[in-house]
Amino acid sequence: MHTDSGNSRSRYGRDVLAGDWRRPRKGAVREVPLERGLVLESADEGFCGAVVGWDKHTVTLEDRGGRHRVFDLAPAAFLVDGAPVTAVRPASAPAGPLRSASGSVAVRGARSRVAKESRIYVEGVHDAELVEKIWGHDLRVEGVVVEYLEGVDHLPEIVAEFGPGPGRRLGVLVDHLVPGSKESRIAERVASPHVLVAGHPFVDVWQAVKPSVLGFAAWPQVPKGIPWKEGVLRALGSSEEPGEAWRRILGSVRSYADLEPELLGRVEELIDFVTAPHGVKD
């Protein structure tokens, strides 16, 4: 049983992940300048996607499946972090090249390439959604597909089934890859010149989101024996279910600047590995 819940509630405040944690005071609807990569949800239709373009009266959004929808720039037409906003055109065009959420130069009008044989695997759905949100543009340009393992225990079987080799590389992102851990022992079993297992030190990918982005100072410590997500939500005073809380966490992430460098470096390393030209020596 978690014995520090009272102190944790005092430290982190009451229900910091609740639906109104970023709602403007007095019900005011704030204006959000449009920028490429900004994620908006249609208040009427529930369509959620990243901004890929706009004109004087409309904005075009692209969802995770690559579908485009055009919406009018009407007052309070969109939601950001569950709160209504009015999307407005920026005061002036941005200087320099457009950037994707990962910070790379965005390729205008790029279409997804035919998928390469190489793949990147991550541990779970939340990892995959975060990678897609920040590196989705880069991965589509390179033709790299991201799949998830549903747990690192399945990695040896997946590697064997995939059959990595020259021109068919496998990159794997693993949570809590620290010396002596179960994850590190499994990574050693599958190591090869055509498989790269890269890991971050966080217990869960939630921790890779900077806590300041979510409005609190630090991710709480969860005692051993308590499920990590449930323990975190309890310590933060949140009554949400993990899936609901994750949607709010993911919705708060705008770009690579909202993530910890320990995750950024590992994902970039994996992308470089699986997209390296055939025959390049590691």
Side-chain angles (χ1 to χ4, degrees), residues 112-119 139-140 142-146:
S112 299
R113 289 186 180 179
V114 175
K116 289 179 166 55
E117 291 191 60
S118 298
R119 292 285 187 276
L139 293 166
R140 284 188 289 275
E142 296 291 347
V144 175
V145 174
V146 174

Side-chain angles (χ1 to χ4, degrees), residues 202-208 219-223 225-236 242 249:
F202 309 117
V203 175
D204 190 276
V205 76
W206 287 21
Q207 285 184 299
W219 287 98
Q221 297 293 319
V222 178
I226 295 178
W228 190 85
K229 291 184 176 72
E230 288 79 358
V232 163
L233 294 175
R234 187 184 307 170
L236 292 174
I249 294 169

Side-chain angles (χ1 to χ4, degrees), residues 47-52 60-64 66-69 140:
F47 184 92
C48 186
V51 172
V52 295
T60 301
L61 305 182
E62 180 184 41
D63 71 3
R64 291 182 61 228
R67 295 175 299 174
H68 286 197
R69 291 283 298 277
R140 284 188 289 275

Side-chain angles (χ1 to χ4, degrees), residues 11-17 21-22 209-219 236 249 252:
R11 176 182 176 187
Y12 294 103
R14 185 176 180 275
D15 209 356
V16 297
L17 290 178
W21 68 281
R22 278 191 170 181
V209 178
K210 293 179 178 178
S212 59
V213 173
L214 304 171
F216 52 90
W219 287 98
L236 292 174
I249 294 169
S252 71

Side-chain angles (χ1 to χ4, degrees), residues 56-95:
K56 187 175 181 180
H57 302 291
T58 66
V59 59
T60 301
L61 305 182
E62 180 184 41
D63 71 3
R64 291 182 61 228
R67 295 175 299 174
H68 286 197
R69 291 283 298 277
V70 179
F71 296 92
D72 291 334
L73 291 174
F78 301 99
L79 303 177
V80 172
D81 302 330
V85 300
T86 297
V88 297
R89 291 185 300 158
S92 59

Side-chain angles (χ1 to χ4, degrees), residues 139-278:
L139 293 166
R140 284 188 289 275
V141 169
E142 296 291 347
V144 175
V145 174
V146 174
E147 302 183 32
Y148 59 91
L149 302 169
E150 297 185 352
V152 72
D153 292 335
H154 302 290
L155 183 56
E157 292 81 4
I158 286 176
V159 172
E161 182 180 352
F162 182 79
R168 185 176 171 82
R169 292 183 169 192
L170 187 62
V172 185
L173 180 68
V174 176
D175 298 342
H176 198 234
L177 190 63
V178 295
S181 66
K182 174 189 73 173
E183 291 81 1
S184 66
R185 292 191 292 272
I186 293 175
E188 290 172 0
R189 289 172 54 191
V190 301
S192 85
H194 310 298
V195 177
L196 174 63
V197 179
H200 55 73
F202 309 117
V203 175
D204 190 276
V205 76
W206 287 21
Q207 285 184 299
V209 178
K210 293 179 178 178
S212 59
V213 173
L214 304 171
F216 52 90
W219 287 98
Q221 297 293 319
V222 178
K224 290 184 178 180
I226 295 178
W228 190 85
K229 291 184 176 72
E230 288 79 358
V232 163
L233 294 175
R234 187 184 307 170
L236 292 174
S238 175
S239 60
E240 293 177 309
E241 292 297 321
E244 184 181 4
W246 171 245
R247 286 192 292 274
R248 298 195 182 280
I249 294 169
L250 185 64
S252 71
V253 176
R254 294 286 175 268
S255 74
Y256 71 95
D258 295 329
L259 303 181
E260 299 288 0
E262 292 89 340
L263 176 70
L264 295 173
R266 301 294 75 73
V267 176
E268 297 285 352
E269 184 180 3
L270 290 171
I271 294 174
D272 288 344
F273 177 77
V274 300
T275 59
H278 178 51

